[in-house]
Amino acid sequence: VLGQRPMSQRRPPMHAIEQDTGLEGLLLHPLSARLLAPTIPEREGWVRRDDLYAIFGRSRHEQMRLADEFESVSDYVANVLKLYLRMEDAGVTLSPVQQKELLDLHDVISTYYDTVHKGFAQDTFELYLSDIHRDSREVTAKIRALRDRHWHRLSDETVEPLVSTSYMDIANAYRRMKDHLLNIGEAIVGGKDIARQVIESEEEMAG
């Protein structure tokens, strides 16, 4: 990480290492890449620069925060898989309507992930924060509507208990993924306090 070590992780020593090893232009520093000149892997399209980071300095707080949030997202992805496997082991399945609703929700969360991840390539954050907060509210509204439809179905038809609870648990897992993705977006801009300041400043200018 650029600036994390006072002697070795500065631009001149990092460049000297490339020259001494004969790897000039090939060494990629993914956590600080967007603070450095594009490397050959980026220019050749082997990796996407937009997927890399712009972390600087000795503090590891930002890295730990992002790692924790990404881990939480992956935990809920694993939970969804376990719920499907539990239904498979029990010999029960979601109805076609339930399957479509959850697949649609999966696509919504996947799109939201892409929206949040674009923050790593942003230079200004006003529009970015507005977008991820707006989309977060829309995702929450979709999940509430999905839940309401589910409860309405329960009043009209008989649903296997494991199917009913698994359906809601999967929907709630996607909601928690969305919450952690929003946290990632706010961490990208420096944390919730800075995110709030940016949003409030934008609202004042709009007003």
Side-chain angles (χ1 to χ4, degrees), residues 3 17 22 34 39 46 49 100 105-106 110 122 128 139 177 205:
I17 291 171
R34 284 175 36 236
T39 60
W46 304 342
R49 188 171 175 85
K100 183 179 185 307
L105 180 57
H106 174 88
S110 178
Q122 297 292 320
Y128 169 73
V139 172
M177 288 181 214
M205 294 178 62

Side-chain angles (χ1 to χ4, degrees), residues 26-55:
L26 287 170
L27 293 183
L28 177 66
H29 303 273
L31 294 180
S32 298
R34 284 175 36 236
L35 298 174
L36 302 167
T39 60
I40 292 173
E42 295 166 80
R43 295 198 301 268
E44 293 295 324
W46 304 342
V47 297
R48 294 198 320 166
R49 188 171 175 85
D50 288 353
D51 290 338
L52 305 174
Y53 299 87
I55 296 175

Side-chain angles (χ1 to χ4, degrees), residues 18 60 69 76 89 95 105 124 137 171 181 183 187 194 203:
E18 290 190 13
R60 291 167 174 79
E69 296 293 351
Y76 283 105
D89 290 342
S95 71
L105 180 57
T124 58
R137 291 190 295 270
L181 288 170
N183 290 343
I194 293 178
E203 291 175 346

Side-chain angles (χ1 to χ4, degrees), residues 9-128:
Q9 294 182 357
R10 295 181 297 113
R11 283 183 175 86
M14 291 165 73
H15 183 60
I17 291 171
E18 290 190 13
Q19 290 181 316
D20 292 345
T21 57
L23 297 173
E24 193 164 4
L26 287 170
L27 293 183
L28 177 66
H29 303 273
L31 294 180
S32 298
R34 284 175 36 236
L35 298 174
L36 302 167
T39 60
I40 292 173
E42 295 166 80
R43 295 198 301 268
E44 293 295 324
W46 304 342
V47 297
R48 294 198 320 166
R49 188 171 175 85
D50 288 353
D51 290 338
L52 305 174
Y53 299 87
I55 296 175
F56 175 87
R58 304 188 68 178
S59 173
R60 291 167 174 79
H61 176 74
E62 181 181 359
Q63 300 166 51
M64 295 301 293
R65 169 83 187 278
L66 287 170
D68 182 61
E69 296 293 351
F70 274 116
E71 183 179 18
S72 295
V73 173
S74 67
D75 286 344
Y76 283 105
V77 171
N79 287 346
V80 168
L81 176 59
K82 290 175 183 176
L83 288 163
Y84 277 109
L85 291 174
R86 186 175 67 176
M87 286 189 290
E88 182 179 334
D89 290 342
V92 297
T93 58
L94 298 167
S95 71
V97 171
Q98 291 171 323
Q99 290 178 22
K100 183 179 185 307
E101 289 175 342
L102 291 179
L103 285 173
D104 288 346
L105 180 57
H106 174 88
D107 290 343
V108 168
I109 296 300
S110 178
T111 299
Y112 188 61
Y113 172 89
D114 291 338
T115 300
V116 169
H117 203 268
K118 289 177 182 177
F120 290 112
Q122 297 292 320
D123 295 319
T124 58
F125 294 107
E126 289 83 356
L127 183 59
Y128 169 73

Side-chain angles (χ1 to χ4, degrees), residues 197-207:
Q197 292 172 13
V198 172
I199 292 173
E200 289 175 351
S201 174
E202 181 187 11
E203 291 175 346
E204 289 177 2
M205 294 178 62

